[in-house]
Amino acid sequence: MSKKLTVAVVGATGAVGREMLKTLHDRQFPATEVRAFASARSAGSKVPFGDTELTVQELKEDVFEGIDIAIFSAGGGTSETFAPHAAHAGCVVVDNSSQWRMDERCPLVVPEVNPDALADHNGIIANPNCSTIQMLVALKPIHDAVGIKRVVVSTYQAVSGTGQKGLEELERQTRDLFSLRDPECKVYPYRIAFNVLPHIDVFLDNDYTKEEMKMTNETVKIFNDPSVKVTATCVRVPVFSGHAESVNVETVKKMTAKECRILLSQAPGLKVIDNPREKLYPMPAYIAGDDETYVGRIREDESIENGLNMWIVADNVRKGAALNAVQIAEELLRRDLVRVKDRNVFMA
């Protein structure tokens, strides 16, 4: 790979795209040039990059020549259309949508969990679902140490997971309620202000939502272990930023709560805040903008022989999206994998 490194962010005007640019700058990613792309209607606008601004360019099929890494956060349809053209041009794509996650040609990667999966990439690498990412950062050390048989997870997901429109809906509905006006529901099927919705993404034939099945299927792929069983209930809560998860784990071998705290406190990307006597535990309001995944409320499940309960919290826009994507790009550089071996894998 040449010393010159050109990086692009596709979907640069969105909330996650802007966070990706901020993360690239804050982590001093060694790019010689950073380019910003979005739809035609955003072309010519400016997006911040450190102390400067980037001019947004229109996303077209032929813009990827000479770009080494493109980080996509522009929706599944955009990724389906443009990511193959990027890979065909020799650009390695890190895609934040759900489009490529379960495609067998694409590694699905959390750098703290399965970085070795990058070795066989074909030009498109998938960023997992935000809720899956934070859960597996915490569960990977446990799985390595004592094995995991089953995971039962209930999520408490912030409206930022729906993007800027989710943030605006919560703010608007809150103002309406305080002003004694009937809140209008444009983004969610029901009011989200002062409410919780046990419904994220579309319902499937098995009555689970797509979000819930993402957590199930992505865990198996990332762990590369079909013996791990996962069942999920995903819930949208009236919180602006930060996803929380109540996770129950049944392990193969016994692990005490104390052993778990020690193990996780030494694991990469994790921070343990767990002191019940002092009422210390992680909360979304206090971790916004942080890179780490936080774990607390670690305790043994007394209803089964080998069980643990824990509470996992992370900033879904950072570790759940932008940070994980940039970490994948960093890992590609570290392993000298910024190249596409076969440029035709994704071309029809």
Side-chain angles (χ1 to χ4, degrees):
M1 192 183 71
S2 63
K3 290 183 179 179
K4 187 176 184 294
L5 184 70
T6 302
V7 175
V9 172
V10 176
T13 56
V16 175
R18 289 171 179 267
E19 192 66 33
M20 286 172 170
L21 288 169
K22 182 178 185 300
T23 304
L24 286 168
H25 181 268
D26 290 349
R27 293 176 70 88
Q28 299 182 328
F29 190 85
T32 311
E33 181 184 3
V34 177
R35 301 180 191 174
F37 291 96
S39 63
R41 70 176 182 272
S42 297
S45 63
K46 305 283 187 180
V47 288
F49 184 69
D51 296 329
T52 64
E53 290 183 323
L54 302 177
T55 300
V56 176
Q57 303 173 52
E58 181 181 353
L59 179 64
K60 298 179 180 179
E61 293 177 354
D62 60 357
V63 299
F64 296 100
E65 202 66 47
I67 295 174
D68 299 291
I69 301 174
I71 304 177
F72 276 56
S73 185
T78 300
S79 294
E80 182 181 18
T81 300
F82 292 97
H85 290 282
H88 187 64
C91 171
V92 180
V93 172
V94 181
D95 181 52
N96 193 52
S97 79
S98 61
Q99 175 61 38
W100 304 101
R101 289 175 186 160
M102 299 312 298
D103 192 307
E104 62 183 15
R105 297 168 293 179
C106 303
L108 182 65
V109 176
V110 181
E112 296 94 338
V113 178
N114 65 331
D116 291 345
L118 291 171
D120 297 320
H121 81 77
N122 294 299
I124 300 177
I125 298 151
N127 211 33
N129 179 277
C130 49
S131 299
T132 306
I133 289 173
Q134 68 185 67
M135 183 174 76
L136 295 196
V137 170
L139 295 190
K140 169 66 171 174
I142 299 170
H143 191 42
D144 286 347
V146 293
I148 290 175
K149 291 173 62 176
R150 182 170 185 256
V151 179
V152 180
V153 53
S154 296
T155 71
Y156 303 72
Q157 294 180 227
V159 296
S160 55
T162 316
Q164 188 63 33
K165 59 185 181 181
L167 294 165
E168 291 170 356
E169 177 129 310
L170 175 56
E171 180 179 1
R172 184 178 60 251
Q173 289 182 353
T174 302
R175 292 180 186 276
D176 285 343
L177 288 167
F178 277 120
S179 300
L180 302 180
R181 295 189 297 261
D182 290 334
E184 189 177 3
C185 301
K186 296 180 178 179
V187 177
Y188 303 111
Y190 300 98
R191 192 185 89 203
I192 184 61
F194 305 100
N195 195 19
V196 295
L197 305 180
H199 170 195
I200 297 178
D201 214 320
V202 297
F203 281 102
L204 304 174
D205 290 342
N206 62 357
D207 291 338
Y208 283 83
T209 64
K210 194 173 181 181
E211 183 85 356
E212 291 159 353
M213 294 312 300
K214 285 176 189 176
M215 295 193 75
T216 298
N217 297 328
E218 291 176 18
T219 296
V220 171
K221 181 172 179 177
I222 294 167
F223 275 171
N224 192 27
D225 188 348
S227 72
V228 178
K229 306 302 180 185
V230 180
T231 186
T233 300
C234 293
V235 181
R236 187 74 67 193
V237 296
V239 169
F240 284 108
S241 181
H243 289 354
E245 299 171 347
S246 172
V247 181
N248 175 270
V249 183
E250 183 179 1
T251 58
V252 177
K253 299 177 183 177
K254 176 72 174 178
M255 173 177 280
T256 67
K258 182 178 180 181
E259 290 169 339
C260 186
R261 288 188 196 98
I262 293 171
L263 177 71
L264 297 186
S265 67
Q266 298 170 345
L270 284 174
K271 185 173 287 187
V272 175
I273 300 179
D274 192 10
N275 188 336
R277 290 172 181 79
E278 299 296 328
K279 300 183 180 65
L280 292 177
Y281 35 74
M283 292 174 283
Y286 297 94
I287 59 88
D290 289 1
D291 288 344
E292 293 85 4
T293 295
Y294 290 80
V295 187
R297 297 297 320 278
I298 299 168
R299 59 209 188 276
E300 291 168 41
D301 178 354
E302 297 178 351
S303 71
I304 56 175
E305 187 174 351
N306 297 334
L308 291 165
N309 287 304
M310 64 191 68
W311 176 250
I312 303 170
V313 181
D315 186 324
N316 55 296
V317 177
R318 287 187 70 84
K319 182 54 184 171
L323 174 63
N324 200 76
V326 172
Q327 286 177 310
I328 289 172
E330 291 171 344
E331 198 66 32
L332 288 168
L333 283 180
R334 192 175 297 117
R335 295 168 180 252
D336 193 22
L337 293 171
V338 186
R339 59 187 180 278
V340 181
K341 290 176 284 188
D342 183 350
R343 299 187 177 198
N344 297 310
V345 169
F346 297 96
M347 299 302 287

